[in-house]
mmCIF file of all heavy atoms in Angstrom:
data_model
loop_
_atom_site.group_PDB
_atom_site.id
_atom_site.type_symbol
_atom_site.label_atom_id
_atom_site.label_comp_id
_atom_site.label_asym_id
_atom_site.label_seq_id
_atom_site.Cartn_x
_atom_site.Cartn_y
_atom_site.Cartn_z
ATOM 1 N N GLY A 1 -73.530 132.328 178.125
ATOM 2 C CA GLY A 1 -72.198 132.113 178.682
ATOM 3 C C GLY A 1 -72.192 131.900 180.176
ATOM 4 O O GLY A 1 -71.141 132.036 180.816
ATOM 5 N N LEU A 2 -73.354 131.561 180.747
ATOM 6 C CA LEU A 2 -73.456 131.376 182.199
ATOM 7 C C LEU A 2 -73.886 129.945 182.499
ATOM 8 O O LEU A 2 -74.286 129.190 181.613
ATOM 9 C CB LEU A 2 -74.454 132.380 182.784
ATOM 10 C CG LEU A 2 -74.143 133.865 182.506
ATOM 11 C CD1 LEU A 2 -75.300 134.737 182.944
ATOM 12 C CD2 LEU A 2 -72.846 134.279 183.198
ATOM 13 N N GLU A 3 -73.843 129.614 183.772
ATOM 14 C CA GLU A 3 -74.198 128.263 184.201
ATOM 15 C C GLU A 3 -75.511 128.306 184.975
ATOM 16 O O GLU A 3 -75.645 129.054 185.946
ATOM 17 C CB GLU A 3 -73.088 127.680 185.080
ATOM 18 C CG GLU A 3 -73.301 126.233 185.489
ATOM 19 C CD GLU A 3 -73.305 125.280 184.307
ATOM 20 O OE1 GLU A 3 -72.651 125.587 183.277
ATOM 21 O OE2 GLU A 3 -73.967 124.234 184.405
ATOM 22 N N PRO A 4 -76.515 127.501 184.533
ATOM 23 C CA PRO A 4 -77.790 127.472 185.264
ATOM 24 C C PRO A 4 -77.598 127.044 186.709
ATOM 25 O O PRO A 4 -76.737 126.207 187.020
ATOM 26 C CB PRO A 4 -78.620 126.444 184.485
ATOM 27 C CG PRO A 4 -77.970 126.336 183.146
ATOM 28 C CD PRO A 4 -76.525 126.612 183.366
ATOM 29 N N TYR A 5 -78.396 127.653 187.590
ATOM 30 C CA TYR A 5 -78.443 127.355 189.021
ATOM 31 C C TYR A 5 -77.203 127.857 189.781
ATOM 32 O O TYR A 5 -77.285 128.112 190.970
ATOM 33 C CB TYR A 5 -78.623 125.850 189.285
ATOM 34 C CG TYR A 5 -79.799 125.262 188.565
ATOM 35 C CD1 TYR A 5 -79.623 124.472 187.432
ATOM 36 C CD2 TYR A 5 -81.103 125.524 188.989
ATOM 37 C CE1 TYR A 5 -80.702 123.935 186.750
ATOM 38 C CE2 TYR A 5 -82.193 124.989 188.311
ATOM 39 C CZ TYR A 5 -81.991 124.199 187.191
ATOM 40 O OH TYR A 5 -83.052 123.680 186.513
ATOM 41 N N ARG A 6 -76.066 128.000 189.057
ATOM 42 C CA ARG A 6 -74.888 128.540 189.722
ATOM 43 C C ARG A 6 -74.796 130.051 189.504
ATOM 44 O O ARG A 6 -74.736 130.829 190.447
ATOM 45 C CB ARG A 6 -73.619 127.865 189.201
ATOM 46 C CG ARG A 6 -72.342 128.286 189.954
ATOM 47 C CD ARG A 6 -71.094 127.792 189.229
ATOM 48 N NE ARG A 6 -70.891 128.500 187.960
ATOM 49 C CZ ARG A 6 -70.015 128.144 187.028
ATOM 50 N NH1 ARG A 6 -69.271 127.057 187.223
ATOM 51 N NH2 ARG A 6 -69.882 128.845 185.922
ATOM 52 N N ASP A 7 -74.780 130.475 188.228
ATOM 53 C CA ASP A 7 -74.693 131.904 187.909
ATOM 54 C C ASP A 7 -76.069 132.569 187.886
ATOM 55 O O ASP A 7 -76.205 133.743 188.258
ATOM 56 C CB ASP A 7 -74.016 132.111 186.551
ATOM 57 C CG ASP A 7 -72.605 131.550 186.522
ATOM 58 O OD1 ASP A 7 -71.901 131.697 187.535
ATOM 59 O OD2 ASP A 7 -72.216 130.965 185.497
ATOM 60 N N VAL A 8 -77.064 131.833 187.408
ATOM 61 C CA VAL A 8 -78.433 132.367 187.337
ATOM 62 C C VAL A 8 -79.370 131.348 187.963
ATOM 63 O O VAL A 8 -79.548 130.251 187.431
ATOM 64 C CB VAL A 8 -78.858 132.650 185.879
ATOM 65 C CG1 VAL A 8 -80.282 133.200 185.848
ATOM 66 C CG2 VAL A 8 -77.898 133.618 185.202
ATOM 67 N N PRO A 9 -79.997 131.668 189.079
ATOM 68 C CA PRO A 9 -80.935 130.730 189.713
ATOM 69 C C PRO A 9 -82.207 130.563 188.869
ATOM 70 O O PRO A 9 -82.593 131.454 188.114
ATOM 71 C CB PRO A 9 -81.258 131.393 191.056
ATOM 72 C CG PRO A 9 -80.208 132.445 191.250
ATOM 73 C CD PRO A 9 -79.796 132.884 189.882
ATOM 74 N N ILE A 10 -82.833 129.404 189.004
ATOM 75 C CA ILE A 10 -84.152 129.160 188.417
ATOM 76 C C ILE A 10 -85.094 128.839 189.570
ATOM 77 O O ILE A 10 -84.865 127.900 190.331
ATOM 78 C CB ILE A 10 -84.121 128.008 187.406
ATOM 79 C CG1 ILE A 10 -83.201 128.359 186.222
ATOM 80 C CG2 ILE A 10 -85.526 127.701 186.901
ATOM 81 C CD1 ILE A 10 -83.054 127.251 185.198
ATOM 82 N N VAL A 11 -86.143 129.642 189.706
ATOM 83 C CA VAL A 11 -87.072 129.531 190.828
ATOM 84 C C VAL A 11 -88.409 129.014 190.312
ATOM 85 O O VAL A 11 -88.939 129.509 189.309
ATOM 86 C CB VAL A 11 -87.263 130.900 191.515
ATOM 87 C CG1 VAL A 11 -88.280 130.792 192.644
ATOM 88 C CG2 VAL A 11 -85.930 131.423 192.035
ATOM 89 N N PHE A 12 -88.982 128.018 191.001
ATOM 90 C CA PHE A 12 -90.282 127.460 190.619
ATOM 91 C C PHE A 12 -91.360 128.117 191.478
ATOM 92 O O PHE A 12 -91.317 128.069 192.706
ATOM 93 C CB PHE A 12 -90.277 125.943 190.802
ATOM 94 C CG PHE A 12 -89.261 125.262 189.927
ATOM 95 C CD1 PHE A 12 -88.048 124.824 190.454
ATOM 96 C CD2 PHE A 12 -89.513 125.071 188.570
ATOM 97 C CE1 PHE A 12 -87.098 124.215 189.652
ATOM 98 C CE2 PHE A 12 -88.569 124.454 187.763
ATOM 99 C CZ PHE A 12 -87.370 124.024 188.286
ATOM 100 N N THR A 13 -92.341 128.739 190.799
ATOM 101 C CA THR A 13 -93.322 129.578 191.485
ATOM 102 C C THR A 13 -94.703 128.953 191.598
ATOM 103 O O THR A 13 -95.564 129.484 192.285
ATOM 104 C CB THR A 13 -93.461 130.919 190.746
ATOM 105 O OG1 THR A 13 -93.894 130.672 189.389
ATOM 106 C CG2 THR A 13 -92.138 131.675 190.720
ATOM 107 N N GLY A 14 -94.950 127.830 190.938
ATOM 108 C CA GLY A 14 -96.278 127.230 190.936
ATOM 109 C C GLY A 14 -97.106 127.726 189.755
ATOM 110 O O GLY A 14 -96.920 128.848 189.274
ATOM 111 N N LEU A 15 -98.009 126.893 189.284
ATOM 112 C CA LEU A 15 -98.853 127.258 188.141
ATOM 113 C C LEU A 15 -99.675 128.496 188.463
ATOM 114 O O LEU A 15 -100.220 128.636 189.565
ATOM 115 C CB LEU A 15 -99.776 126.098 187.770
ATOM 116 C CG LEU A 15 -99.092 124.855 187.181
ATOM 117 C CD1 LEU A 15 -100.121 123.746 186.989
ATOM 118 C CD2 LEU A 15 -98.419 125.182 185.861
ATOM 119 N N ARG A 16 -99.771 129.394 187.486
ATOM 120 C CA ARG A 16 -100.550 130.611 187.653
ATOM 121 C C ARG A 16 -102.025 130.341 187.398
ATOM 122 O O ARG A 16 -102.382 129.286 186.835
ATOM 123 C CB ARG A 16 -100.028 131.688 186.692
ATOM 124 C CG ARG A 16 -98.577 132.089 186.953
ATOM 125 C CD ARG A 16 -98.080 133.098 185.932
ATOM 126 N NE ARG A 16 -98.093 132.534 184.589
ATOM 127 C CZ ARG A 16 -97.752 133.225 183.498
ATOM 128 N NH1 ARG A 16 -97.396 134.497 183.601
ATOM 129 N NH2 ARG A 16 -97.785 132.653 182.312
ATOM 130 N N PRO A 17 -102.894 131.263 187.774
ATOM 131 C CA PRO A 17 -104.332 131.064 187.549
ATOM 132 C C PRO A 17 -104.637 130.785 186.080
ATOM 133 O O PRO A 17 -104.211 131.517 185.195
ATOM 134 C CB PRO A 17 -104.944 132.402 187.990
ATOM 135 C CG PRO A 17 -103.976 132.951 188.981
ATOM 136 C CD PRO A 17 -102.624 132.513 188.510
ATOM 137 N N GLY A 18 -105.363 129.719 185.841
ATOM 138 C CA GLY A 18 -105.792 129.386 184.487
ATOM 139 C C GLY A 18 -104.802 128.581 183.684
ATOM 140 O O GLY A 18 -105.093 128.191 182.549
ATOM 141 N N GLU A 19 -103.617 128.292 184.240
ATOM 142 C CA GLU A 19 -102.587 127.600 183.473
ATOM 143 C C GLU A 19 -102.695 126.090 183.636
ATOM 144 O O GLU A 19 -103.061 125.576 184.688
ATOM 145 C CB GLU A 19 -101.192 128.047 183.917
ATOM 146 C CG GLU A 19 -100.757 129.374 183.344
ATOM 147 C CD GLU A 19 -99.283 129.611 183.554
ATOM 148 O OE1 GLU A 19 -98.760 129.199 184.612
ATOM 149 O OE2 GLU A 19 -98.660 130.217 182.684
ATOM 150 N N LYS A 20 -102.304 125.374 182.564
ATOM 151 C CA LYS A 20 -102.211 123.925 182.589
ATOM 152 C C LYS A 20 -100.750 123.502 182.717
ATOM 153 O O LYS A 20 -99.845 124.266 182.386
ATOM 154 C CB LYS A 20 -102.741 123.325 181.281
ATOM 155 C CG LYS A 20 -104.209 123.508 180.994
ATOM 156 C CD LYS A 20 -104.501 122.825 179.658
ATOM 157 C CE LYS A 20 -105.924 123.041 179.220
ATOM 158 N NZ LYS A 20 -106.168 122.414 177.896
ATOM 159 N N LEU A 21 -100.561 122.266 183.148
ATOM 160 C CA LEU A 21 -99.220 121.705 183.173
ATOM 161 C C LEU A 21 -98.768 121.378 181.747
ATOM 162 O O LEU A 21 -97.629 121.636 181.356
ATOM 163 C CB LEU A 21 -99.189 120.439 184.041
ATOM 164 C CG LEU A 21 -97.806 119.937 184.475
ATOM 165 C CD1 LEU A 21 -97.081 120.982 185.303
ATOM 166 C CD2 LEU A 21 -97.953 118.633 185.248
ATOM 167 N N HIS A 22 -99.684 120.813 180.964
ATOM 168 C CA HIS A 22 -99.388 120.450 179.572
ATOM 169 C C HIS A 22 -100.537 120.937 178.687
ATOM 170 O O HIS A 22 -101.702 120.733 179.018
ATOM 171 C CB HIS A 22 -99.228 118.939 179.412
ATOM 172 C CG HIS A 22 -98.274 118.320 180.382
ATOM 173 N ND1 HIS A 22 -96.913 118.559 180.347
ATOM 174 C CD2 HIS A 22 -98.491 117.478 181.429
ATOM 175 C CE1 HIS A 22 -96.332 117.890 181.320
ATOM 176 N NE2 HIS A 22 -97.266 117.230 181.994
ATOM 177 N N GLU A 23 -100.192 121.550 177.545
ATOM 178 C CA GLU A 23 -101.201 121.987 176.592
ATOM 179 C C GLU A 23 -101.555 120.844 175.644
ATOM 180 O O GLU A 23 -100.806 119.875 175.484
ATOM 181 C CB GLU A 23 -100.707 123.202 175.790
ATOM 182 C CG GLU A 23 -100.494 124.449 176.631
ATOM 183 C CD GLU A 23 -101.786 125.071 177.134
ATOM 184 O OE1 GLU A 23 -102.871 124.550 176.814
ATOM 185 O OE2 GLU A 23 -101.714 126.065 177.860
ATOM 186 N N GLU A 24 -102.722 120.969 175.002
ATOM 187 C CA GLU A 24 -103.191 119.973 174.049
ATOM 188 C C GLU A 24 -103.522 120.666 172.733
ATOM 189 O O GLU A 24 -103.833 121.854 172.710
ATOM 190 C CB GLU A 24 -104.438 119.271 174.582
ATOM 191 C CG GLU A 24 -104.240 118.630 175.948
ATOM 192 C CD GLU A 24 -105.569 118.322 176.616
ATOM 193 O OE1 GLU A 24 -106.123 119.226 177.262
ATOM 194 O OE2 GLU A 24 -106.041 117.183 176.461
#
């Protein structure tokens, strides 16, 4: 019942150690 970015922010933190952008 909330609005993204207005009521709840979304923060981009960067890929963590060992993570891929896309899985296969």
Side-chain angles (χ1 to χ4, degrees):
L2 303 171
E3 185 64 28
Y5 307 105
R6 186 191 69 191
D7 300 321
V8 180
I10 297 177
V11 177
F12 298 102
T13 60
L15 292 175
R16 298 177 298 177
E19 281 193 324
K20 295 180 185 178
L21 196 60
H22 309 292
E23 295 290 359
E24 304 163 275

